[in-house]
Amino acid sequence: MATTVRRAVLTMPAAPLGPENPLPALRAPDAVPAPDERAYAGLPRDSVRQIGYGALRSLLPVRIRDGYRRDRSEREFDTIVIENEHLRVTVLPGLGGRVHSLVHLPTGRELLYRNPVFQPADFALNGAWFSGGIEWNTGAIGHSALSCTPLHAALVPAPDGGVMVRLWEWERLRDLPFQVDLWLPGDSEFLYVGVRVRNPHERPAPVYWWSNTAVPEEPGTRVLAPADEAWHFGYERALRRVPVPEWEGADRTYPAAGEYPADFFYEVRSGERPWIASLDAAGKGLVQTSTGRLRGRKLFAWGAGRGGRRWQEWLTEPGTGGYAEIQAGLARTQLEHVRLDGGAEFSWLEAYGPLAADPGAVHGPDWAAASGAAGAALEAVLPRERVDAAYEAWRGCADTEPGERLAAGTGWGALEVLRAGFKLPGTPFGESTLGEEQAPWLELWRTGVFPAPRRVVPPGPSLVAAHWRDMLETAPADPLTEYHLGVAQWHAGDVAQAVRSWERGLASAPSRWPLLRCLAVADALAGAPERAADGFAEAFEDLAVESRGGEPWAAAESALGREAMEALLAAGRLPEARRVWDRLRPAQREQGRFRLLAARLLAAEGHVAAARRVFEDGFEVPDLREGEETLGEVWASLTGRPLPARYDFRMRPPG
């Protein structure tokens, strides 16, 4: 059977993704621990160096996605299906190119954890993320900001004369293009994935890549890799070397053995081919392997505790079974960025497919025999030399221009290619993809003037790279230009100049709230909570007066209302926090994040019983952040009773 590729539609219950947050993401993402000799004792020097390299100052120019909800209805998703006689691969090009399903056709077995619903949650760098399948994480430490973003997709001739699917986009946190080529040879039981990240700039760039695969967490499932040690990283934010498989009295290669969620970064034995497998009690499951560039391997386990189980329910549906993740990355751990020189590229080949090994060996007490049995089974069905040869064959096709287009991504890559004249064979970013968001920046580049919007709307996305900042600095200094210039200066670390730009814009701005909000964030991060509270309150009042209604304005009100209430509560300014609450639309007050703020406000006002009733009546916070402990903290301030299970998302031991 020759490999076929077709477009299809997948229908499943889905929560609405909602609008982007229109407020620029000025705050740094969740902090990753800085190198510390005590915390990283024994960690090789290259990893320590890479942990301290390339940390983000902010998520700019990316916007936060926090407008999703938890009410689900049937929705259709465009898919690309790649199939031969052994495998059926289902890809979601509109959602980061996620491989949603990988079915072994002779047995009918689903090799991945296939989420039966689409339910965004706050796990990605910029918010919205969903669980299941194989995801491609690039940009910076964490789940990709492209998790819920469309990628370009097209057909490309495969090395064996068949056809493969190319996915590509412009990753905006690092300003780097990348491609993912999905190739299923006609007689192969393995999906080949060719990946390339290019740096078209003269300057070096920090690169992050981890391919994350969700696998079913069935009873008796074991994760195996060619390693005798691992680096454990939990939500206590401590990294430590631990033995494999047993640590602290439990065999941690069984994902449910631990109490709390944790990462185990395997120290792959020197000279061994890199691979990782998840095999059930019968010794059957999925294996992932690659060429040597993709060196890291990791197990993420949710653990058996209440918090981990609650998160699993939150991300899918109760009763659908849990999952773990087996992952592969460019570095030893996910705390690292790898330097990519200007004009250079990283590329490698991955392979995913079924694996069967002797269950007595892979589940036996001898770890060397267990991992050896899985490794030998892999070598028997997919020799290392075959993967290396497939990589070399794919490299000859990596620059081939795409043919039939299957899906369209964003226009940001087209804007950058047009501006700089980059030559990127194999990944065209055509001008036809330019859209409304790119239009004012295209005009700035062509005319030197940032245009005023045709109607009164919240400001569009800001661009912050040095070349755009230079253009803004020489453009006529109207309030909107000063706003975007300040955002770019802030991203560059020039806080004082950013504040001056925002203050200049404020002097003549017809719409004051975007500038007031930026200044309030600057005050908050400068350690001036009272001044910040003043700024947030004034900004929200100005927005409430100006708001025209409609989705963009509602998104701005919700985002700024939350920031204003949190700042005012932190400053103990309860009457003003109550005024913000009173200005909210009734529908906004019912949002989960505002129900939590209502409980905090009531408690601060002395109405503890009323605050407790908010919890007792029940609410959900759709954008609850991974690792966030606010629900437990507020509950503990209201009562000495145990935290109800529905609010228990704790991912680390108490204290």
Side-chain angles (χ1 to χ4, degrees):
M1 174 183 174
T3 299
T4 61
V5 178
R6 68 181 188 275
R7 281 181 275 201
V9 173
L10 171 68
T11 302
M12 63 178 169
L17 191 55
E20 290 183 327
N21 185 327
L23 308 183
L26 301 178
R27 300 175 190 270
D30 285 352
V32 173
D36 184 302
E37 290 184 3
R38 292 166 300 174
Y40 301 103
L43 190 66
R45 193 170 295 177
D46 63 326
S47 287
V48 173
R49 183 173 60 251
Q50 290 176 164
I51 288 174
Y53 172 58
L56 294 177
R57 294 191 186 98
S58 74
L59 291 176
L60 295 165
V62 172
R63 283 184 152 187
I64 301 295
R65 304 277 332 223
D66 59 3
Y68 48 85
R69 302 197 301 271
R70 292 192 58 80
D71 52 308
R72 297 195 285 260
S73 59
E74 292 294 309
R75 176 181 158 193
E76 293 184 344
F77 293 86
D78 291 330
T79 67
I80 300 170
V81 179
I82 313 167
E83 186 171 350
N84 67 6
E85 62 180 315
H86 301 289
L87 292 175
R88 181 188 302 124
V89 185
T90 303
V91 182
L92 296 169
L95 295 171
R98 182 82 58 102
V99 175
H100 175 69
S101 171
L102 183 63
V103 176
H104 184 233
L105 294 174
T107 61
R109 181 186 181 116
E110 173 62 69
L111 299 177
L112 307 177
Y113 172 75
R114 180 174 57 193
N115 198 332
V117 303
F118 173 69
Q119 178 55 65
D122 192 1
F123 278 63
L125 280 163
N126 63 331
W129 172 87
F130 63 105
S131 65
I134 307 172
E135 58 175 309
W136 319 112
N137 291 302
T138 188
I141 295 167
H143 291 284
S144 173
L146 295 166
S147 294
C148 293
T149 298
L151 303 191
H152 302 284
L155 298 180
V156 181
D160 62 350
V163 67
M164 63 184 176
V165 173
R166 175 162 299 160
L167 306 167
W168 73 98
E169 244 307 344
W170 194 275
E171 201 291 307
R172 301 178 65 211
L173 290 174
R174 304 302 190 188
D175 259 344
L176 302 179
F178 71 94
Q179 71 189 74
V180 177
D181 288 355
L182 305 172
W183 170 30
L184 189 57
D187 61 348
S188 175
E189 285 198 326
F190 282 80
L191 170 68
Y192 292 153
V193 182
V195 182
R196 178 165 63 168
V197 180
R198 286 188 275 193
N199 182 1
H201 309 286
E202 295 180 356
R203 54 174 169 76
V207 171
Y208 175 90
W209 187 284
W210 281 79
S211 301
N212 291 8
T213 304
V215 290
E217 189 189 72
E218 298 169 351
T221 294
R222 192 178 205 185
V223 171
L224 301 107
D228 301 312
E229 292 183 311
W231 295 92
H232 169 272
F233 188 70
Y235 286 80
E236 309 93 326
R237 299 287 193 179
L239 188 68
R240 63 190 117 180
R241 189 195 295 264
V242 301
V244 174
E246 289 194 15
W247 176 56
E248 293 188 339
D251 187 331
R252 301 308 177 108
T253 61
Y254 290 90
E259 180 73 9
Y260 293 95
D263 299 329
F264 292 90
F265 299 104
Y266 292 116
E267 191 70 46
V268 175
R269 300 184 200 106
S270 177
E272 294 258 11
R273 70 182 293 187
W275 60 269
I276 188 168
S278 173
L279 304 181
D280 65 13
K284 297 179 180 179
L286 174 80
V287 66
Q288 187 273 357
T289 187
S290 70
T291 48
R293 170 69 71 179
L294 206 65
R295 59 173 294 188
R297 291 300 185 274
K298 171 191 153 183
L299 162 65
F300 169 73
W302 282 105
R306 282 208 326 178
R309 297 297 101 187
R310 182 70 179 107
W311 272 116
Q312 296 237 39
E313 294 176 354
W314 186 255
L315 295 170
T316 178
E317 287 186 329
T320 55
Y323 74 93
E325 290 181 1
I326 57 174
Q327 307 181 10
L330 276 178
R332 177 178 279 103
T333 74
Q334 283 176 335
L335 308 179
E336 304 170 53
H337 297 113
V338 181
R339 176 188 170 109
L340 179 60
D341 289 332
E345 64 180 50
F346 289 143
S347 65
W348 62 90
L349 188 96
E350 305 180 43
Y352 297 81
L355 189 69
D358 176 14
V362 299
H363 292 287
D366 186 332
W367 171 248
S371 61
L378 170 61
E379 192 66 22
V381 295
L382 187 66
R384 184 175 191 171
E385 292 77 13
R386 191 184 303 170
V387 174
D388 292 339
Y391 169 70
E392 294 301 329
W394 167 74
R395 285 292 297 149
C397 300
D399 284 351
T400 302
E401 288 304 307
E404 179 186 347
R405 302 305 167 93
L406 303 176
T410 74
W412 296 114
L415 181 66
E416 294 300 333
V417 168
L418 188 64
R419 177 201 61 81
F422 294 130
K423 303 300 181 185
L424 299 169
T427 54
F429 293 93
E431 291 186 40
S432 62
T433 62
L434 293 166
E436 184 178 350
E437 288 188 325
Q438 292 81 42
W441 298 96
L442 188 62
E443 185 168 339
L444 172 66
W445 175 64
R446 285 175 169 162
T447 69
V449 177
F450 195 89
R454 291 190 296 272
R455 63 186 188 280
V456 180
V457 291
S462 297
L463 294 184
V464 296
H467 44 268
W468 295 110
R469 186 173 72 249
D470 291 344
M471 290 183 228
L472 290 166
E473 286 175 345
T474 57
D478 61 80
L480 184 58
T481 302
E482 296 282 16
Y483 162 81
H484 286 298
L485 175 58
V487 173
Q489 291 165 332
W490 178 274
H491 174 73
D494 193 348
V495 174
Q497 191 59 56
V499 168
R500 283 193 287 271
S501 295
W502 291 328
E503 289 175 341
R504 282 197 306 269
L506 191 62
S508 58
S511 181
R512 293 169 50 84
W513 64 268
L515 294 150
L516 287 168
R517 183 264 175 181
C518 289
L519 291 166
V521 173
D523 284 332
L525 296 180
E530 289 291 340
R531 197 162 65 241
D534 289 339
F536 280 118
E538 186 179 358
F540 182 77
E541 181 65 25
D542 187 72
L543 171 60
V545 171
E546 185 181 17
S547 180
R548 269 38 175 194
E551 189 175 77
W553 289 102
E557 290 175 43
S558 178
L560 187 51
R562 283 169 47 180
E563 289 187 342
M565 284 195 69
E566 287 168 354
L568 291 164
L569 284 170
R573 308 261 286 272
L574 304 185
E576 291 160 279
R578 176 61 64 183
R579 280 199 292 275
V580 171
W581 173 266
D582 290 341
R583 291 298 299 263
L584 293 169
R585 301 168 192 253
Q588 290 170 333
R589 294 179 197 165
E590 296 305 312
Q591 295 173 3
R593 186 63 69 172
F594 281 110
R595 298 306 301 156
L596 179 59
L597 284 167
R600 290 176 57 192
L601 177 58
L602 287 166
E605 292 172 332
H607 308 304
V608 175
R612 200 160 48 237
R613 278 197 298 274
V614 174
F615 276 83
E616 292 165 353
D617 291 343
F619 64 92
E620 293 181 325
V621 181
D623 61 330
L624 191 69
R625 182 69 180 166
E626 176 188 14
E628 184 178 345
E629 299 179 346
T630 311
L631 287 170
E633 291 167 356
V634 175
W635 175 261
S637 72
L638 301 176
T639 176
R641 300 203 303 265
L643 181 66
R646 67 179 299 176
Y647 301 120
D648 191 351
F649 293 89
R650 291 173 291 190
M651 302 179 78
R652 61 178 181 169

